[in-house]
Amino acid sequence: MNNIVIKNEFPPNFEELKKAANRTSNWRERLEAVEELGQWKHEETMKLLTRIMENDTVYKVQETAFQKLKAFGQGARLPAQKKGDLIKGATKALVRIKKSLPKGHTFEEFKEKLQKMRSDIYDTYEGEKGADFDQWLENTWASL
């Protein structure tokens, strides 16, 4: 465990952390925001961490928020990991993107268009699948 000092005060950069925690197209920024929020034991930071724990689309971010709340002595319960579409309508969006590309397009073209058109879906599944993301996306693309 790293030696992070928990401060019982309001973080001076709370608004920036809140914005980062709400950035749907960047799970890494949300994770960093959770890490920093976890250093400030305050009613507002605990509310935000609870919301993130209950609602974030990337389970790793939810788990980290849970750990931070636990470190604060909060009786938090980690939600079960979601099955199926992590973002409502993700499969439909993937089908639409594939259909919008010319016949015979490559997987790389599909991946690039997904990242441009639906960065929220791209980012969420990249965060959730980790190292298996490319393989998962290619299999999904092939099966659409």
Side-chain angles (χ1 to χ4, degrees):
M1 204 66 199
N2 44 7
N3 298 332
I4 293 175
V5 177
I6 295 173
K7 303 168 202 87
N8 289 314
E9 52 194 87
F10 191 71
N13 60 339
F14 181 75
E15 286 308 313
E16 290 114 72
L17 291 172
K18 189 174 178 179
K19 279 181 190 158
N22 290 324
R23 200 157 285 130
T24 58
S25 64
N26 196 326
W27 70 272
R28 286 176 183 85
E29 279 188 34
R30 294 196 312 272
L31 186 60
E32 284 175 26
V34 167
E35 292 286 356
E36 195 168 335
L37 286 164
Q39 298 173 36
W40 301 88
K41 186 176 180 180
H42 185 274
E43 185 182 345
E44 290 299 312
T45 58
M46 289 190 288
K47 272 191 216 171
L48 184 54
L49 286 169
T50 300
R51 187 189 55 72
I52 293 165
M53 177 191 72
E54 292 171 350
N55 301 310
D56 201 274
T57 53
V58 175
Y59 198 66
K60 184 183 215 170
V61 177
Q62 285 182 307
E63 276 181 312
T64 304
F66 168 73
Q67 296 300 332
K68 298 300 177 185
L69 287 165
K70 242 174 69 175
F72 289 156
Q74 297 297 303
R77 289 194 48 201
L78 182 63
Q81 194 163 3
K82 291 178 190 151
K83 302 282 184 242
D85 278 359
L86 301 175
I87 293 179
K88 191 176 176 156
T91 303
K92 268 188 193 172
L94 294 174
V95 168
R96 244 182 268 122
I97 289 168
K98 185 171 182 172
K99 283 182 176 179
S100 74
L101 289 162
K103 209 168 191 61
H105 67 271
T106 65
F107 165 67
E108 286 304 321
E109 289 169 321
F110 172 78
K111 183 179 174 184
E112 198 176 296
K113 188 156 188 181
L114 171 63
Q115 196 170 14
K116 283 181 185 160
M117 287 183 67
R118 289 299 303 267
S119 61
D120 59 329
I121 292 174
Y122 186 96
D123 185 74
T124 295
Y125 282 94
E126 182 196 33
E128 196 62 35
K129 303 289 180 188
D132 300 329
F133 173 70
D134 279 342
Q135 188 61 57
W136 169 83
L137 187 60
E138 191 163 1
N139 292 342
T140 303
W141 167 73
S143 71
L144 293 173

